[in-house]
Amino acid sequence: MNDNARPEPGRNPGGDPSQGPDEPDRAAIARRIGERRDALGLTEAELAAKAGMATRYLQHLAEAGPAFDPGGFLRLASALGLSHRELVEGRTDEAPGRAAAPEHPVLIRLTVRECWDRIGDHGVGRVAVPAGPGPAVLPVNYVVDAGTVAYRTVPHSAAAPDSGTALSFQIDRIDERLSRGWSVLLAGTAEHVTAHEEIDRLAGHPGSEPWSGGDNPLWIRIRPTRVTGRRVGSL
């Protein structure tokens, strides 16, 4: 056997000795079932009913693992709103911030220069625009141009507020492993870019092509009236 071989994600390399090297970690799966059930606000009986099985059978299935009853396990994953793989191996797209806070956390305000340094010349951020019954927060890929942030969208879409509309733009980066990160917030007003020379210049910026595809002919410029930021880390 190759001593350098690594087990597949979600497998049991050396936990329960009753499990073979190719079997999933049953204890981790049982824990995921309980955590997901709690997050959905379901009792054990309610989850069993959604999965079409008796409560005692659900308990046994959680302990025995997916190999005991593959079909029943698929029904259980569906009742939990997960794919079979997510339940067996764990989710890989969970929201950041699940790690513990640093031992001695500090919150430091960023200068305006430091904020712009982190925004860079292009990237992906979130724009918050007025929308009933509350503001809509939408991801956009942006470019930086002469102290403003600009992005492309479709006319009359949620991301296309009228010129003069107050809105905000946020970008952040989180290091889950080190429990640190930063966030920058721009508050300002929207402006529709109509001059052809300005449109051509913005389209020439790196990162100007919309990730969502399509034409997206309307450029929205955000002229910031306030730029703030903060970072969190440890001493």
Side-chain angles (χ1 to χ4, degrees):
M1 177 182 291
N2 183 355
D3 292 337
N4 294 323
R6 295 185 179 181
E8 296 180 28
R11 301 303 183 185
N12 176 51
D16 186 347
S18 67
Q19 295 176 233
D22 294 326
E23 293 184 38
D25 187 336
R26 295 197 297 264
I29 293 172
R31 183 175 66 252
R32 274 194 288 275
I33 292 172
E35 290 174 350
R36 180 66 172 173
R37 177 174 62 79
D38 290 343
L40 294 175
L42 297 173
T43 66
E44 206 168 37
E46 289 170 336
L47 176 58
K50 284 189 67 175
M53 60 184 67
T55 303
R56 291 200 54 149
Y57 191 81
L58 168 63
Q59 295 168 346
H60 180 70
L61 187 60
E63 294 174 359
F68 175 75
D69 180 358
F73 213 79
L74 279 171
R75 297 199 310 274
L76 176 57
S78 177
L80 291 168
L82 301 173
S83 69
H84 182 275
R85 182 172 183 177
E86 286 172 337
L87 185 52
V88 172
E89 300 182 6
R91 301 186 65 167
T92 59
D93 61 344
E94 293 175 310
R98 294 169 62 88
E103 186 175 355
H104 301 290
V106 291
L107 184 64
I108 301 173
R109 294 190 181 277
L110 301 174
T111 65
V112 172
R113 173 66 179 272
E114 289 173 329
C115 290
W116 283 109
D117 285 345
R118 282 163 171 77
I119 293 172
D121 58 4
H122 69 282
V124 176
R126 293 179 296 277
V127 61
V129 298
V137 180
L138 306 164
V140 295
N141 57 294
Y142 66 89
V143 299
V144 173
D145 180 67
T148 68
V149 169
Y151 63 92
R152 295 172 64 173
T153 189
V154 178
H156 311 297
S157 66
D162 294 335
S163 288
T165 300
L167 76 172
S168 61
F169 172 84
Q170 184 182 35
I171 180 173
D172 50 46
R173 293 291 181 271
I174 305 296
D175 189 323
E176 178 79 3
R177 183 176 60 85
L178 298 177
S179 299
R180 67 186 184 187
W182 55 265
S183 175
V184 170
L185 178 68
L186 274 63
T189 55
E191 175 185 293
H192 289 203
V193 180
T194 56
H196 292 298
E197 60 272 17
E198 285 192 73
I199 293 173
D200 291 341
R201 188 179 71 256
L202 291 172
H205 278 272
S208 63
E209 287 297 321
W211 281 21
S212 59
D215 187 19
N216 291 358
L218 176 62
W219 277 97
I220 302 291
R221 185 189 298 279
I222 303 173
R223 292 197 177 274
T225 55
R226 188 172 74 253
V227 180
T228 59
R230 61 185 67 186
R231 67 179 178 87
V232 63
S234 56
L235 293 174

